Amino acid sequence: MTPPLHIAQKKTKLWISLLGAICFVSMGIFILSKPHSIHSWAPFFGWASILFFGLTGVLSIKKLLDTRPALIINDNGIWDNTTFTQVGLITWNSITQITHHKVVNNHFIFIYTKDPEVYLNKVSGISLRILRKNQQGFGTPFTINGNGVRFDIAQLHELLQSEWEKHHK
C-alpha cells in the first residue's frame, strides 16, 4: 500500500475572484444609492450585480477557507476537491480513461468513468447542473482544472495515468 499523495490547492484565481466580487457588489450598491427615473433599468442591474457577485464572493471565501488538499490520490482512487462540485472518491476501477486537454487557455484533466450516474447521484442543485453541463460539453462530468492545483498539469496527468494503470482491474 502506497501512502496517499496530497496535492495542495492553488488559490490565486480565488483571490482575484473575491476582489472582483467586492468591486462589483460595491458598484451595485453605488448604483442603487443614486436616484433613478421610474423607467430606468439601473436598479435591476444594481440588484443583479449585488446578488450574482455577492454569491461569487461567498463561494470564493468558502473555498479560500477550505484547508483540505485539492486532490488526494491513493490506492482506492482520486478524491477531487478542486471545485465546488465535489462527488467524493472516484475509484480506480470505475475510471475508463484519463485525458489532458487545453480548453480556451486553461488546461484540464478529464476523468471518464464507466457509470457517471453513480457519482452524480451524490450531488444535487447547482452542483449537479454544472456536472451535467460538463458531461454534455466534454463527455464526462469530472474535470480537474489546472488553475486549481499546485502541480504541473502535464505531470499530474502522467501521475494519474500511471496510478490508474497500476490500480484499475
mmCIF file of all heavy atoms in Angstrom, residues 118-167:
data_model
loop_
_atom_site.group_PDB
_atom_site.id
_atom_site.type_symbol
_atom_site.label_atom_id
_atom_site.label_comp_id
_atom_site.label_asym_id
_atom_site.label_seq_id
_atom_site.Cartn_x
_atom_site.Cartn_y
_atom_site.Cartn_z
ATOM 1 N N VAL A 118 -23.477 6.965 -10.938
ATOM 2 C CA VAL A 118 -23.166 6.530 -9.576
ATOM 3 C C VAL A 118 -22.671 7.719 -8.758
ATOM 4 O O VAL A 118 -23.039 7.890 -7.593
ATOM 5 C CB VAL A 118 -22.107 5.400 -9.593
ATOM 6 C CG1 VAL A 118 -21.564 5.106 -8.210
ATOM 7 C CG2 VAL A 118 -22.671 4.156 -10.247
ATOM 8 N N TYR A 119 -21.859 8.551 -9.376
ATOM 9 C CA TYR A 119 -21.291 9.711 -8.689
ATOM 10 C C TYR A 119 -22.240 10.902 -8.726
ATOM 11 O O TYR A 119 -22.336 11.660 -7.759
ATOM 12 C CB TYR A 119 -19.936 10.070 -9.312
ATOM 13 C CG TYR A 119 -18.950 8.950 -9.186
ATOM 14 C CD1 TYR A 119 -18.699 8.092 -10.250
ATOM 15 C CD2 TYR A 119 -18.290 8.722 -7.995
ATOM 16 C CE1 TYR A 119 -17.804 7.046 -10.129
ATOM 17 C CE2 TYR A 119 -17.390 7.669 -7.860
ATOM 18 C CZ TYR A 119 -17.154 6.835 -8.928
ATOM 19 O OH TYR A 119 -16.281 5.797 -8.793
ATOM 20 N N LEU A 120 -22.935 11.082 -9.833
ATOM 21 C CA LEU A 120 -23.853 12.215 -9.961
ATOM 22 C C LEU A 120 -25.015 12.107 -8.978
ATOM 23 O O LEU A 120 -25.577 13.124 -8.566
ATOM 24 C CB LEU A 120 -24.373 12.328 -11.394
ATOM 25 C CG LEU A 120 -23.310 12.662 -12.439
ATOM 26 C CD1 LEU A 120 -23.919 12.685 -13.837
ATOM 27 C CD2 LEU A 120 -22.634 13.984 -12.131
ATOM 28 N N ASN A 121 -25.376 10.897 -8.582
ATOM 29 C CA ASN A 121 -26.447 10.707 -7.613
ATOM 30 C C ASN A 121 -26.066 11.212 -6.219
ATOM 31 O O ASN A 121 -26.933 11.342 -5.356
ATOM 32 C CB ASN A 121 -26.855 9.234 -7.536
ATOM 33 C CG ASN A 121 -27.602 8.790 -8.772
ATOM 34 O OD1 ASN A 121 -28.237 9.589 -9.460
ATOM 35 N ND2 ASN A 121 -27.517 7.501 -9.077
ATOM 36 N N LYS A 122 -24.796 11.516 -5.998
ATOM 37 C CA LYS A 122 -24.323 12.016 -4.703
ATOM 38 C C LYS A 122 -24.481 13.524 -4.559
ATOM 39 O O LYS A 122 -24.286 14.053 -3.471
ATOM 40 C CB LYS A 122 -22.855 11.645 -4.500
ATOM 41 C CG LYS A 122 -22.598 10.157 -4.461
ATOM 42 C CD LYS A 122 -21.112 9.905 -4.314
ATOM 43 C CE LYS A 122 -20.798 8.417 -4.354
ATOM 44 N NZ LYS A 122 -19.350 8.184 -4.223
ATOM 45 N N VAL A 123 -24.769 14.220 -5.668
ATOM 46 C CA VAL A 123 -24.866 15.689 -5.623
ATOM 47 C C VAL A 123 -26.245 16.128 -6.093
ATOM 48 O O VAL A 123 -26.988 15.369 -6.702
ATOM 49 C CB VAL A 123 -23.769 16.362 -6.481
ATOM 50 C CG1 VAL A 123 -22.390 16.080 -5.932
ATOM 51 C CG2 VAL A 123 -23.857 15.941 -7.927
ATOM 52 N N SER A 124 -26.556 17.393 -5.816
ATOM 53 C CA SER A 124 -27.844 17.940 -6.254
ATOM 54 C C SER A 124 -27.682 19.431 -6.521
ATOM 55 O O SER A 124 -26.612 20.001 -6.367
ATOM 56 C CB SER A 124 -28.907 17.695 -5.179
ATOM 57 O OG SER A 124 -28.526 18.337 -3.973
ATOM 58 N N GLY A 125 -28.770 20.059 -6.915
ATOM 59 C CA GLY A 125 -28.797 21.505 -7.105
ATOM 60 C C GLY A 125 -27.864 21.998 -8.186
ATOM 61 O O GLY A 125 -27.704 21.374 -9.233
ATOM 62 N N ILE A 126 -27.226 23.118 -7.896
ATOM 63 C CA ILE A 126 -26.358 23.774 -8.871
ATOM 64 C C ILE A 126 -25.147 22.901 -9.196
ATOM 65 O O ILE A 126 -24.676 22.886 -10.330
ATOM 66 C CB ILE A 126 -25.924 25.185 -8.395
ATOM 67 C CG1 ILE A 126 -25.250 25.954 -9.541
ATOM 68 C CG2 ILE A 126 -25.028 25.147 -7.211
ATOM 69 C CD1 ILE A 126 -26.169 26.905 -10.200
ATOM 70 N N SER A 127 -24.651 22.144 -8.216
ATOM 71 C CA SER A 127 -23.511 21.257 -8.471
ATOM 72 C C SER A 127 -23.865 20.221 -9.529
ATOM 73 O O SER A 127 -23.080 19.959 -10.436
ATOM 74 C CB SER A 127 -23.083 20.541 -7.185
ATOM 75 O OG SER A 127 -22.553 21.453 -6.274
ATOM 76 N N LEU A 128 -25.062 19.657 -9.407
ATOM 77 C CA LEU A 128 -25.496 18.659 -10.386
ATOM 78 C C LEU A 128 -25.641 19.284 -11.769
ATOM 79 O O LEU A 128 -25.232 18.699 -12.772
ATOM 80 C CB LEU A 128 -26.813 18.018 -9.946
ATOM 81 C CG LEU A 128 -27.366 16.929 -10.865
ATOM 82 C CD1 LEU A 128 -26.370 15.785 -11.029
ATOM 83 C CD2 LEU A 128 -28.702 16.422 -10.334
ATOM 84 N N ARG A 129 -26.167 20.495 -11.831
ATOM 85 C CA ARG A 129 -26.305 21.184 -13.128
ATOM 86 C C ARG A 129 -24.955 21.422 -13.779
ATOM 87 O O ARG A 129 -24.790 21.240 -14.988
ATOM 88 C CB ARG A 129 -27.041 22.514 -12.949
ATOM 89 C CG ARG A 129 -28.506 22.363 -12.746
ATOM 90 C CD ARG A 129 -29.164 23.725 -12.801
ATOM 91 N NE ARG A 129 -30.578 23.610 -12.516
ATOM 92 C CZ ARG A 129 -31.260 24.440 -11.764
ATOM 93 N NH1 ARG A 129 -30.651 25.467 -11.198
ATOM 94 N NH2 ARG A 129 -32.543 24.267 -11.567
ATOM 95 N N ILE A 130 -23.994 21.856 -12.983
ATOM 96 C CA ILE A 130 -22.655 22.117 -13.514
ATOM 97 C C ILE A 130 -22.029 20.823 -14.033
ATOM 98 O O ILE A 130 -21.459 20.789 -15.126
ATOM 99 C CB ILE A 130 -21.759 22.781 -12.443
ATOM 100 C CG1 ILE A 130 -22.258 24.195 -12.147
ATOM 101 C CG2 ILE A 130 -20.298 22.796 -12.874
ATOM 102 C CD1 ILE A 130 -21.636 24.838 -10.926
ATOM 103 N N LEU A 131 -22.149 19.761 -13.256
ATOM 104 C CA LEU A 131 -21.588 18.474 -13.684
ATOM 105 C C LEU A 131 -22.266 17.958 -14.939
ATOM 106 O O LEU A 131 -21.616 17.404 -15.827
ATOM 107 C CB LEU A 131 -21.689 17.449 -12.549
ATOM 108 C CG LEU A 131 -20.780 17.721 -11.344
ATOM 109 C CD1 LEU A 131 -21.120 16.789 -10.197
ATOM 110 C CD2 LEU A 131 -19.316 17.621 -11.724
ATOM 111 N N ARG A 132 -23.577 18.154 -15.053
ATOM 112 C CA ARG A 132 -24.301 17.732 -16.265
ATOM 113 C C ARG A 132 -23.830 18.537 -17.482
ATOM 114 O O ARG A 132 -23.701 17.995 -18.579
ATOM 115 C CB ARG A 132 -25.806 17.897 -16.080
ATOM 116 C CG ARG A 132 -26.387 16.938 -15.080
ATOM 117 C CD ARG A 132 -27.094 15.815 -15.787
ATOM 118 N NE ARG A 132 -27.753 14.969 -14.804
ATOM 119 C CZ ARG A 132 -27.480 13.686 -14.651
ATOM 120 N NH1 ARG A 132 -26.617 13.090 -15.422
ATOM 121 N NH2 ARG A 132 -28.097 12.984 -13.731
ATOM 122 N N LYS A 133 -23.582 19.834 -17.304
ATOM 123 C CA LYS A 133 -23.065 20.663 -18.407
ATOM 124 C C LYS A 133 -21.675 20.181 -18.825
ATOM 125 O O LYS A 133 -21.360 20.143 -20.015
ATOM 126 C CB LYS A 133 -23.019 22.144 -18.015
ATOM 127 C CG LYS A 133 -24.363 22.806 -17.977
ATOM 128 C CD LYS A 133 -24.902 22.955 -19.375
ATOM 129 C CE LYS A 133 -26.227 23.666 -19.371
ATOM 130 N NZ LYS A 133 -26.890 23.614 -20.664
ATOM 131 N N ASN A 134 -20.845 19.837 -17.846
ATOM 132 C CA ASN A 134 -19.530 19.266 -18.172
ATOM 133 C C ASN A 134 -19.693 17.999 -18.994
ATOM 134 O O ASN A 134 -18.988 17.793 -19.978
ATOM 135 C CB ASN A 134 -18.750 18.934 -16.895
ATOM 136 C CG ASN A 134 -18.126 20.134 -16.248
ATOM 137 O OD1 ASN A 134 -18.101 21.217 -16.806
ATOM 138 N ND2 ASN A 134 -17.642 19.950 -15.034
ATOM 139 N N GLN A 135 -20.637 17.158 -18.583
ATOM 140 C CA GLN A 135 -20.863 15.899 -19.290
ATOM 141 C C GLN A 135 -21.310 16.149 -20.726
ATOM 142 O O GLN A 135 -20.849 15.486 -21.649
ATOM 143 C CB GLN A 135 -21.889 15.051 -18.543
ATOM 144 C CG GLN A 135 -21.987 13.638 -19.051
ATOM 145 C CD GLN A 135 -22.836 12.768 -18.138
ATOM 146 O OE1 GLN A 135 -23.656 13.258 -17.364
ATOM 147 N NE2 GLN A 135 -22.628 11.475 -18.226
ATOM 148 N N GLN A 136 -22.189 17.127 -20.924
ATOM 149 C CA GLN A 136 -22.647 17.461 -22.277
ATOM 150 C C GLN A 136 -21.509 18.022 -23.125
ATOM 151 O O GLN A 136 -21.367 17.684 -24.293
ATOM 152 C CB GLN A 136 -23.783 18.483 -22.220
ATOM 153 C CG GLN A 136 -25.088 17.940 -21.710
ATOM 154 C CD GLN A 136 -26.125 19.042 -21.516
ATOM 155 O OE1 GLN A 136 -25.845 20.226 -21.693
ATOM 156 N NE2 GLN A 136 -27.323 18.639 -21.125
ATOM 157 N N GLY A 137 -20.702 18.880 -22.534
ATOM 158 C CA GLY A 137 -19.657 19.551 -23.298
ATOM 159 C C GLY A 137 -18.397 18.738 -23.519
ATOM 160 O O GLY A 137 -17.739 18.871 -24.548
ATOM 161 N N PHE A 138 -18.033 17.904 -22.531
ATOM 162 C CA PHE A 138 -16.751 17.209 -22.594
ATOM 163 C C PHE A 138 -16.868 15.691 -22.607
ATOM 164 O O PHE A 138 -15.866 14.998 -22.698
ATOM 165 C CB PHE A 138 -15.861 17.630 -21.418
ATOM 166 C CG PHE A 138 -15.659 19.108 -21.311
ATOM 167 C CD1 PHE A 138 -16.112 19.809 -20.202
ATOM 168 C CD2 PHE A 138 -15.034 19.823 -22.323
ATOM 169 C CE1 PHE A 138 -15.926 21.173 -20.097
ATOM 170 C CE2 PHE A 138 -14.847 21.182 -22.229
ATOM 171 C CZ PHE A 138 -15.299 21.869 -21.111
ATOM 172 N N GLY A 139 -18.086 15.176 -22.446
ATOM 173 C CA GLY A 139 -18.272 13.732 -22.427
ATOM 174 C C GLY A 139 -18.058 13.102 -21.065
ATOM 175 O O GLY A 139 -18.181 11.906 -20.896
ATOM 176 N N THR A 140 -17.704 13.927 -20.082
ATOM 177 C CA THR A 140 -17.535 13.473 -18.703
ATOM 178 C C THR A 140 -17.849 14.631 -17.760
ATOM 179 O O THR A 140 -17.534 15.780 -18.068
ATOM 180 C CB THR A 140 -16.105 12.970 -18.427
ATOM 181 O OG1 THR A 140 -16.024 12.558 -17.056
ATOM 182 C CG2 THR A 140 -15.058 14.021 -18.698
ATOM 183 N N PRO A 141 -18.452 14.327 -16.617
ATOM 184 C CA PRO A 141 -18.700 15.399 -15.658
ATOM 185 C C PRO A 141 -17.471 15.741 -14.814
ATOM 186 O O PRO A 141 -17.442 16.770 -14.157
ATOM 187 C CB PRO A 141 -19.817 14.832 -14.769
ATOM 188 C CG PRO A 141 -19.794 13.371 -14.958
ATOM 189 C CD PRO A 141 -19.138 13.100 -16.278
ATOM 190 N N PHE A 142 -16.450 14.910 -14.864
ATOM 191 C CA PHE A 142 -15.337 15.027 -13.929
ATOM 192 C C PHE A 142 -14.114 15.669 -14.578
ATOM 193 O O PHE A 142 -13.474 15.060 -15.443
ATOM 194 C CB PHE A 142 -14.989 13.649 -13.354
ATOM 195 C CG PHE A 142 -16.214 12.905 -12.903
ATOM 196 C CD1 PHE A 142 -16.576 11.724 -13.514
ATOM 197 C CD2 PHE A 142 -17.019 13.419 -11.898
ATOM 198 C CE1 PHE A 142 -17.718 11.046 -13.117
ATOM 199 C CE2 PHE A 142 -18.161 12.753 -11.497
ATOM 200 C CZ PHE A 142 -18.515 11.566 -12.111
ATOM 201 N N THR A 143 -13.819 16.878 -14.155
ATOM 202 C CA THR A 143 -12.692 17.625 -14.700
ATOM 203 C C THR A 143 -11.829 18.162 -13.558
ATOM 204 O O THR A 143 -12.340 18.482 -12.490
ATOM 205 C CB THR A 143 -13.156 18.811 -15.565
ATOM 206 O OG1 THR A 143 -13.904 19.723 -14.747
ATOM 207 C CG2 THR A 143 -14.028 18.340 -16.717
ATOM 208 N N ILE A 144 -10.552 18.246 -13.813
ATOM 209 C CA ILE A 144 -9.628 18.885 -12.879
ATOM 210 C C ILE A 144 -9.006 20.053 -13.627
ATOM 211 O O ILE A 144 -8.333 19.869 -14.638
ATOM 212 C CB ILE A 144 -8.532 17.905 -12.405
ATOM 213 C CG1 ILE A 144 -9.156 16.728 -11.664
ATOM 214 C CG2 ILE A 144 -7.509 18.630 -11.538
ATOM 215 C CD1 ILE A 144 -8.181 15.615 -11.348
ATOM 216 N N ASN A 145 -9.266 21.258 -13.139
ATOM 217 C CA ASN A 145 -8.735 22.464 -13.755
ATOM 218 C C ASN A 145 -7.315 22.686 -13.249
ATOM 219 O O ASN A 145 -7.075 22.696 -12.041
ATOM 220 C CB ASN A 145 -9.636 23.660 -13.399
ATOM 221 C CG ASN A 145 -9.257 24.914 -14.137
ATOM 222 O OD1 ASN A 145 -8.120 25.103 -14.550
ATOM 223 N ND2 ASN A 145 -10.218 25.790 -14.302
ATOM 224 N N GLY A 146 -6.395 22.888 -14.172
ATOM 225 C CA GLY A 146 -5.005 23.131 -13.816
ATOM 226 C C GLY A 146 -4.813 24.366 -12.952
ATOM 227 O O GLY A 146 -3.839 24.459 -12.204
ATOM 228 N N ASN A 147 -5.755 25.322 -13.023
ATOM 229 C CA ASN A 147 -5.653 26.525 -12.204
ATOM 230 C C ASN A 147 -5.959 26.269 -10.741
ATOM 231 O O ASN A 147 -5.722 27.127 -9.903
ATOM 232 C CB ASN A 147 -6.611 27.609 -12.717
ATOM 233 C CG ASN A 147 -6.170 28.169 -14.043
ATOM 234 O OD1 ASN A 147 -4.986 28.295 -14.312
ATOM 235 N ND2 ASN A 147 -7.121 28.506 -14.888
ATOM 236 N N GLY A 148 -6.500 25.093 -10.428
ATOM 237 C CA GLY A 148 -6.900 24.812 -9.057
ATOM 238 C C GLY A 148 -5.907 23.988 -8.256
ATOM 239 O O GLY A 148 -6.137 23.720 -7.080
ATOM 240 N N VAL A 149 -4.802 23.589 -8.881
ATOM 241 C CA VAL A 149 -3.833 22.732 -8.183
ATOM 242 C C VAL A 149 -2.430 23.313 -8.246
ATOM 243 O O VAL A 149 -2.054 23.935 -9.234
ATOM 244 C CB VAL A 149 -3.825 21.293 -8.760
ATOM 245 C CG1 VAL A 149 -5.120 20.591 -8.480
ATOM 246 C CG2 VAL A 149 -3.523 21.274 -10.240
ATOM 247 N N ARG A 150 -1.670 23.086 -7.188
ATOM 248 C CA ARG A 150 -0.262 23.479 -7.155
ATOM 249 C C ARG A 150 0.593 22.312 -7.624
ATOM 250 O O ARG A 150 1.287 21.660 -6.843
ATOM 251 C CB ARG A 150 0.151 23.861 -5.736
ATOM 252 C CG ARG A 150 -0.328 25.188 -5.302
ATOM 253 C CD ARG A 150 0.343 25.567 -4.011
ATOM 254 N NE ARG A 150 -0.283 26.747 -3.475
ATOM 255 C CZ ARG A 150 -0.187 27.130 -2.236
ATOM 256 N NH1 ARG A 150 0.520 26.404 -1.386
ATOM 257 N NH2 ARG A 150 -0.785 28.211 -1.826
ATOM 258 N N PHE A 151 0.479 22.043 -8.909
ATOM 259 C CA PHE A 151 1.189 20.911 -9.502
ATOM 260 C C PHE A 151 1.159 21.140 -11.001
ATOM 261 O O PHE A 151 0.143 21.586 -11.530
ATOM 262 C CB PHE A 151 0.444 19.605 -9.150
ATOM 263 C CG PHE A 151 1.301 18.375 -9.134
ATOM 264 C CD1 PHE A 151 1.919 17.966 -7.958
ATOM 265 C CD2 PHE A 151 1.467 17.615 -10.272
ATOM 266 C CE1 PHE A 151 2.688 16.820 -7.915
ATOM 267 C CE2 PHE A 151 2.239 16.462 -10.246
ATOM 268 C CZ PHE A 151 2.850 16.064 -9.066
ATOM 269 N N ASP A 152 2.234 20.844 -11.667
ATOM 270 C CA ASP A 152 2.250 20.967 -13.120
ATOM 271 C C ASP A 152 1.199 20.025 -13.709
ATOM 272 O O ASP A 152 1.193 18.828 -13.413
ATOM 273 C CB ASP A 152 3.635 20.617 -13.656
ATOM 274 C CG ASP A 152 3.687 20.687 -15.168
ATOM 275 O OD1 ASP A 152 3.749 21.811 -15.705
ATOM 276 O OD2 ASP A 152 3.639 19.612 -15.795
ATOM 277 N N ILE A 153 0.297 20.557 -14.524
ATOM 278 C CA ILE A 153 -0.859 19.785 -15.004
ATOM 279 C C ILE A 153 -0.439 18.618 -15.901
ATOM 280 O O ILE A 153 -1.054 17.544 -15.847
ATOM 281 C CB ILE A 153 -1.902 20.707 -15.691
ATOM 282 C CG1 ILE A 153 -3.266 20.004 -15.822
ATOM 283 C CG2 ILE A 153 -1.414 21.211 -17.010
ATOM 284 C CD1 ILE A 153 -4.006 19.842 -14.563
ATOM 285 N N ALA A 154 0.593 18.785 -16.711
ATOM 286 C CA ALA A 154 1.055 17.687 -17.558
ATOM 287 C C ALA A 154 1.640 16.560 -16.696
ATOM 288 O O ALA A 154 1.380 15.374 -16.939
ATOM 289 C CB ALA A 154 2.094 18.176 -18.566
ATOM 290 N N GLN A 155 2.404 16.916 -15.670
ATOM 291 C CA GLN A 155 2.953 15.913 -14.763
ATOM 292 C C GLN A 155 1.839 15.240 -13.958
ATOM 293 O O GLN A 155 1.894 14.036 -13.694
ATOM 294 C CB GLN A 155 3.972 16.541 -13.819
ATOM 295 C CG GLN A 155 5.249 16.944 -14.497
ATOM 296 C CD GLN A 155 6.221 17.614 -13.535
ATOM 297 O OE1 GLN A 155 5.856 17.995 -12.423
ATOM 298 N NE2 GLN A 155 7.467 17.767 -13.968
ATOM 299 N N LEU A 156 0.824 16.019 -13.579
ATOM 300 C CA LEU A 156 -0.309 15.455 -12.855
ATOM 301 C C LEU A 156 -1.052 14.442 -13.722
ATOM 302 O O LEU A 156 -1.422 13.365 -13.254
ATOM 303 C CB LEU A 156 -1.263 16.560 -12.391
ATOM 304 C CG LEU A 156 -2.504 16.092 -11.635
ATOM 305 C CD1 LEU A 156 -2.127 15.302 -10.391
ATOM 306 C CD2 LEU A 156 -3.379 17.297 -11.274
ATOM 307 N N HIS A 157 -1.218 14.778 -14.998
ATOM 308 C CA HIS A 157 -1.871 13.836 -15.905
ATOM 309 C C HIS A 157 -1.065 12.534 -15.990
ATOM 310 O O HIS A 157 -1.627 11.437 -15.916
ATOM 311 C CB HIS A 157 -2.056 14.459 -17.293
ATOM 312 C CG HIS A 157 -2.587 13.489 -18.296
ATOM 313 N ND1 HIS A 157 -1.840 13.054 -19.357
ATOM 314 C CD2 HIS A 157 -3.780 12.837 -18.368
ATOM 315 C CE1 HIS A 157 -2.554 12.183 -20.051
ATOM 316 N NE2 HIS A 157 -3.725 12.025 -19.474
ATOM 317 N N GLU A 158 0.242 12.654 -16.139
ATOM 318 C CA GLU A 158 1.097 11.463 -16.202
ATOM 319 C C GLU A 158 0.996 10.640 -14.915
ATOM 320 O O GLU A 158 0.921 9.402 -14.956
ATOM 321 C CB GLU A 158 2.553 11.868 -16.448
ATOM 322 C CG GLU A 158 2.823 12.371 -17.850
ATOM 323 C CD GLU A 158 4.261 12.856 -18.032
ATOM 324 O OE1 GLU A 158 5.139 12.459 -17.219
ATOM 325 O OE2 GLU A 158 4.505 13.614 -18.979
ATOM 326 N N LEU A 159 0.991 11.320 -13.778
ATOM 327 C CA LEU A 159 0.880 10.634 -12.493
ATOM 328 C C LEU A 159 -0.457 9.898 -12.375
ATOM 329 O O LEU A 159 -0.495 8.716 -12.015
ATOM 330 C CB LEU A 159 1.026 11.636 -11.352
ATOM 331 C CG LEU A 159 0.740 11.101 -9.950
ATOM 332 C CD1 LEU A 159 1.800 10.092 -9.538
ATOM 333 C CD2 LEU A 159 0.659 12.240 -8.962
ATOM 334 N N LEU A 160 -1.551 10.584 -12.709
ATOM 335 C CA LEU A 160 -2.870 9.953 -12.631
ATOM 336 C C LEU A 160 -2.967 8.771 -13.591
ATOM 337 O O LEU A 160 -3.524 7.720 -13.246
ATOM 338 C CB LEU A 160 -3.971 10.971 -12.921
ATOM 339 C CG LEU A 160 -4.183 12.054 -11.865
ATOM 340 C CD1 LEU A 160 -5.188 13.086 -12.344
ATOM 341 C CD2 LEU A 160 -4.615 11.448 -10.539
ATOM 342 N N GLN A 161 -2.424 8.951 -14.785
ATOM 343 C CA GLN A 161 -2.449 7.882 -15.781
ATOM 344 C C GLN A 161 -1.696 6.650 -15.271
ATOM 345 O O GLN A 161 -2.182 5.528 -15.367
ATOM 346 C CB GLN A 161 -1.846 8.387 -17.099
ATOM 347 C CG GLN A 161 -1.962 7.437 -18.254
ATOM 348 C CD GLN A 161 -3.380 7.295 -18.759
ATOM 349 O OE1 GLN A 161 -4.171 8.229 -18.729
ATOM 350 N NE2 GLN A 161 -3.717 6.108 -19.212
ATOM 351 N N SER A 162 -0.513 6.859 -14.719
ATOM 352 C CA SER A 162 0.279 5.725 -14.235
ATOM 353 C C SER A 162 -0.382 5.073 -13.017
ATOM 354 O O SER A 162 -0.379 3.841 -12.898
ATOM 355 C CB SER A 162 1.715 6.135 -13.929
ATOM 356 O OG SER A 162 1.771 6.975 -12.802
ATOM 357 N N GLU A 163 -0.961 5.859 -12.124
ATOM 358 C CA GLU A 163 -1.665 5.292 -10.963
ATOM 359 C C GLU A 163 -2.888 4.504 -11.411
ATOM 360 O O GLU A 163 -3.171 3.440 -10.875
ATOM 361 C CB GLU A 163 -2.065 6.388 -9.973
ATOM 362 C CG GLU A 163 -0.913 6.987 -9.216
ATOM 363 C CD GLU A 163 -0.238 5.985 -8.288
ATOM 364 O OE1 GLU A 163 -0.934 5.267 -7.551
ATOM 365 O OE2 GLU A 163 1.009 5.903 -8.317
ATOM 366 N N TRP A 164 -3.600 5.023 -12.390
ATOM 367 C CA TRP A 164 -4.778 4.321 -12.913
ATOM 368 C C TRP A 164 -4.364 2.981 -13.538
ATOM 369 O O TRP A 164 -4.974 1.953 -13.279
ATOM 370 C CB TRP A 164 -5.518 5.192 -13.923
ATOM 371 C CG TRP A 164 -6.642 4.482 -14.606
ATOM 372 C CD1 TRP A 164 -7.778 3.985 -14.037
ATOM 373 C CD2 TRP A 164 -6.735 4.172 -15.996
ATOM 374 N NE1 TRP A 164 -8.576 3.407 -14.978
ATOM 375 C CE2 TRP A 164 -7.956 3.497 -16.195
ATOM 376 C CE3 TRP A 164 -5.909 4.410 -17.096
ATOM 377 C CZ2 TRP A 164 -8.376 3.049 -17.451
ATOM 378 C CZ3 TRP A 164 -6.326 3.979 -18.334
ATOM 379 C CH2 TRP A 164 -7.547 3.312 -18.513
ATOM 380 N N GLU A 165 -3.305 3.011 -14.341
ATOM 381 C CA GLU A 165 -2.837 1.769 -14.971
ATOM 382 C C GLU A 165 -2.380 0.747 -13.925
ATOM 383 O O GLU A 165 -2.560 -0.454 -14.100
ATOM 384 C CB GLU A 165 -1.705 2.083 -15.947
ATOM 385 C CG GLU A 165 -2.187 2.802 -17.188
ATOM 386 C CD GLU A 165 -1.064 3.352 -18.066
ATOM 387 O OE1 GLU A 165 0.118 3.195 -17.708
ATOM 388 O OE2 GLU A 165 -1.395 3.966 -19.115
ATOM 389 N N LYS A 166 -1.828 1.231 -12.827
ATOM 390 C CA LYS A 166 -1.358 0.355 -11.764
ATOM 391 C C LYS A 166 -2.516 -0.250 -10.956
ATOM 392 O O LYS A 166 -2.432 -1.404 -10.551
ATOM 393 C CB LYS A 166 -0.438 1.155 -10.835
ATOM 394 C CG LYS A 166 0.177 0.349 -9.710
ATOM 395 C CD LYS A 166 1.299 1.099 -9.016
ATOM 396 C CE LYS A 166 0.799 2.270 -8.227
ATOM 397 N NZ LYS A 166 1.836 2.933 -7.418
ATOM 398 N N HIS A 167 -3.599 0.509 -10.765
ATOM 399 C CA HIS A 167 -4.661 0.081 -9.858
ATOM 400 C C HIS A 167 -5.939 -0.454 -10.500
ATOM 401 O O HIS A 167 -6.657 -1.189 -9.843
ATOM 402 C CB HIS A 167 -5.061 1.240 -8.932
ATOM 403 C CG HIS A 167 -4.024 1.604 -7.951
ATOM 404 N ND1 HIS A 167 -3.152 2.649 -8.142
ATOM 405 C CD2 HIS A 167 -3.692 1.058 -6.752
ATOM 406 C CE1 HIS A 167 -2.349 2.750 -7.111
ATOM 407 N NE2 HIS A 167 -2.651 1.792 -6.254
#
